[in-house]
Amino acid sequence: MSSEQTLFLGLLAFRVINALILQTSFVPDEYWQSIEVAHNMAFSYGAKTWEWRHGLRGYLYPLIFAIPYKILGILGLDNRIVLIKLPLLIQAVFAALADVYLYKLSSKLSGVRVGRWSLLCQLTSWFTFYCAPRTLTNSLETALTTIAMHHFPWPGYSRKAHWKYLVLVGVAVVIRPTAAIVWIPMVLWHLRMYFHCFWDVFRLYVEKGFLILAVSSIIDRYFYGKWVYVHLNFLEFNVFSGLGSFYGTHPWHWYLSQGLAVILGIQLFPFVLAVKNGLQPTFIKIIAWTVAVYSCLGHKEFRFIFPILPLAMHLSGLYLALLLDVSSWLPCSKSSFFVTILIAGNLPLALYTSLIHQRGTLDVMRFIYEESSRNASLSVVSLMPCHSTPHHGYLHRNISLRFLTCEPNLDLVANYTDESDVFYEDPVAWLNKTYATSSLPSHIVMFDVLLPRVSDFISRNSYEKCAEFFHSHFPRGSSWRLRSGLLFEGVEVVVEI
Ligand SMILES: *[C@@H]1O[C@H](CO)[C@@H](O)[C@H](O)[C@H]1NC(C)=O
Ligand SMILES: *[C@@H]1O[C@H](CO)[C@@H](O)[C@H](O)[C@H]1NC(C)=O
Ligand SMILES: *[C@@H]1O[C@H](CO)[C@@H](O)[C@H](O)[C@H]1NC(C)=O
Ligand SMILES: *[C@@H]1O[C@H](CO)[C@@H](O)[C@H](O)[C@H]1NC(C)=O
């Protein structure tokens, strides 16, 4: 076995453990845009959010999970835990590949020693640990971007096989159109480098682009039942119409003032010094460009800039390797000093976010699953900010689940308020109205801050608390419409008696 294969197996073992450690939720999309849809594709039940009803998302990504789901279903091995863990393990494979290719890329550009330091920065990165095995298109986009960077025809290195990088970039863009942002400067650079044979390279782009688009369109044609231009719809919604701002806006400098610092963690220091010293200018330019473009979009999230994190890890590794060469002030074993700092600076945050922060919304799903084993005619309503908990994909049981919706104003109705807003305006009035005609749910799930506001409805209909779960030490801010003075946030379940 070659040393590269050994390295891959070691990294795979690391990411598999990484994936199995995750006990917390990060963002709703990791369930609602992936495994929930895959569950629907394989088992014919599972919710589809408005993005799927309006053709904004492609089926290629959930298909990665729907195929194994279907096979497990046919073999009768579709156990709940298997269905929850398998997608994480699939993502772990992508994450391990990204680690290997970051090491190869870094070694190719700056030598094996830098490669090792970059890999160490990547493996200790708390945000990569927290995010890479999650079923998010951002995680796959990050892995594909890193692998494609390695296959990019860097000047001075092997010139063959341009198509490998093109296919990887094409797939990344098809899965998440915003991947194009990172790649626009690289593609232009590629075309300029090969200007002498422009038409040959251009033809390659058209060929591969057409092929990938055709495959993804056929998959969408099959699952939507008609031709849908998901990428155009996605761009129109997120970039041109500004409706994306429905999900919150941040100041333009958010990535610079918080976003980058948070996802880089302690690697921020070597990264900033590498940028200051202008090491590897190409990567600095890509990172600057990507952050600048994302800063112009109203809706900002940490995970959006995840694809540039491995590049930043290369810069950090480069700086650390350089520092080891020149510094004399450190104790004799300089490298173990840096290794210790990297691990000690990241491990607490990685474990805290992966094991403790925001775990209640997953624990409550296990509780509901256990309840539904006792009584299959359970009906659950979740009075939480929309998409707070996973859905059928996390139960693998077709019980009645209802949640407050929060669809953006797609039809441009005047004075539009979504269901969540109407609910939080006056919870009891909403409950009175909704359950005036239909029968009451058997279980209500909510965050503890809501309980006092609905206690009137709860006691009048004789519900009692049957479970509570710890969720977070940091109750969500106003963007989640649940500002509270409580130090701990919990999830409560009440049951009708
Ligand atoms: C799931 O339950 C819903 C509502 O009870 C029902 O309409 C649907 O047919 C069920 N689907 C499957 C696959 O059992
Ligand atoms: C929208 O709100 C404005 C001001 O509050 C009001 O004048 C108008 O009638 C409302 N339009 C509709 C369709 O409710
Ligand atoms: C809800 O209904 C109950 C009983 O009909 C009533 O006493 C209460 O005032 C209503 N609350 C609101 C906010 O409508
Ligand atoms: C199961 O739950 C339904 C709905 O809450 C309830 O009507 C029924 O009595 C329960 N059955 C058992 C056996 O507890």
Side-chain angles (χ1 to χ4, degrees), residues 146-378:
T146 310
I147 303 169
M149 281 288 170
H150 173 262
H151 289 295
F152 184 81
W154 292 93
Y157 301 95
S158 139
R159 284 147 148 259
K160 51 185 185 333
H162 289 206
W163 66 268
K164 276 192 195 164
Y165 120 84
L166 277 178
V167 168
L168 290 162
V169 172
V171 174
V173 172
V174 160
I175 283 178
R176 194 168 176 88
T178 46
I181 295 173
V182 176
W183 284 101
I184 285 169
M186 294 300 279
V187 164
L188 293 178
W189 186 37
H190 181 211
L191 289 175
R192 222 194 73 194
M193 256 192 303
Y194 288 85
F195 202 65
H196 54 278
C197 50
F198 182 84
W199 289 111
D200 288 343
V201 176
F202 188 71
R203 209 187 60 221
L204 207 60
Y205 274 87
V206 173
E207 265 172 30
K208 301 302 170 211
F210 180 78
L211 191 75
I212 294 162
L213 211 54
V215 170
S216 107
S217 302
I218 289 166
I219 292 171
D220 288 335
R221 168 73 183 77
Y222 179 79
F223 287 104
Y224 275 114
K226 60 176 190 271
W227 294 106
V228 176
Y229 303 103
V230 290
H231 306 105
L232 285 181
N233 294 347
F234 182 89
L235 281 181
E236 193 196 338
F237 176 84
N238 281 295
V239 182
F240 304 121
S241 74
L243 276 171
S245 315
F246 177 79
Y247 290 108
T249 53
H250 297 85
W252 65 268
H253 54 75
W254 187 83
Y255 286 118
L256 287 176
S257 54
Q258 315 177 24
L260 265 178
V262 169
I263 71 166
L264 281 163
I266 200 157
Q267 278 91 323
L268 177 68
F269 299 104
F271 169 75
V272 167
L273 291 167
V275 172
K276 191 165 155 277
N277 288 297
L279 308 177
Q280 188 53 258
T282 313
F283 281 7
I284 297 178
K285 281 182 212 152
I286 300 171
I287 292 173
W289 155 263
T290 308
V291 170
V293 174
Y294 273 114
S295 295
C296 297
L297 305 177
H299 180 53
K300 301 184 174 65
E301 289 189 37
F302 294 117
R303 62 193 170 108
F304 291 174
I305 51 169
F306 188 28
I308 56 171
L309 191 59
L311 307 185
M313 292 302 112
H314 169 70
L315 287 168
S316 310
L318 197 55
Y319 185 78
L320 288 178
L322 201 70
L323 195 61
L324 282 173
D325 284 342
V326 297
S327 63
S328 55
W329 52 272
L330 283 167
C332 44
S333 79
K334 298 182 228 171
S335 32
S336 51
F337 174 78
F338 284 134
V339 174
T340 313
I341 297 267
L342 281 176
I343 294 176
N346 282 285
L347 191 66
L349 200 51
L351 291 181
Y352 178 78
T353 51
S354 303
L355 290 170
I356 298 169
H357 182 60
Q358 297 188 358
R359 61 169 298 143
T361 46
L362 300 189
D363 290 338
V364 75
M365 294 313 280
R366 196 192 55 230
F367 174 78
I368 289 169
Y369 176 79
E370 283 161 5
E371 288 281 284
S372 71
S373 309
R374 250 173 272 139
N375 185 347
S377 53
L378 207 68

Side-chain angles (χ1 to χ4, degrees), residues 3 22 25 28 63 117 138 192 253 270 338 350 358 375 384 415 427:
S3 63
L22 290 182
S25 61
L63 189 64
W117 280 104
N138 309 83
R192 222 194 73 194
H253 54 75
F338 284 134
Q358 297 188 358
N375 185 347
M384 291 174 148
N415 303 352

Side-chain angles (χ1 to χ4, degrees), residues 359-368 371 384 443-449 451 464-472 486 488-495:
R359 61 169 298 143
T361 46
L362 300 189
D363 290 338
V364 75
M365 294 313 280
R366 196 192 55 230
F367 174 78
I368 289 169
E371 288 281 284
M384 291 174 148
H443 291 65
I444 301 178
V445 181
M446 68 188 102
F447 284 118
D448 53 7
V449 283
L451 199 52
E464 74 170 17
K465 188 190 288 188
C466 64
E468 55 187 331
F469 303 93
F470 167 78
H471 185 58
S472 163
L486 294 178
F488 294 91
E489 187 176 34
V491 178
E492 313 248 350
V493 187
V494 293
V495 63

Side-chain angles (χ1 to χ4, degrees), residues 43-45 398-400:
F43 303 109
S44 324
Y45 64 96
N398 192 11
I399 62 167
S400 153

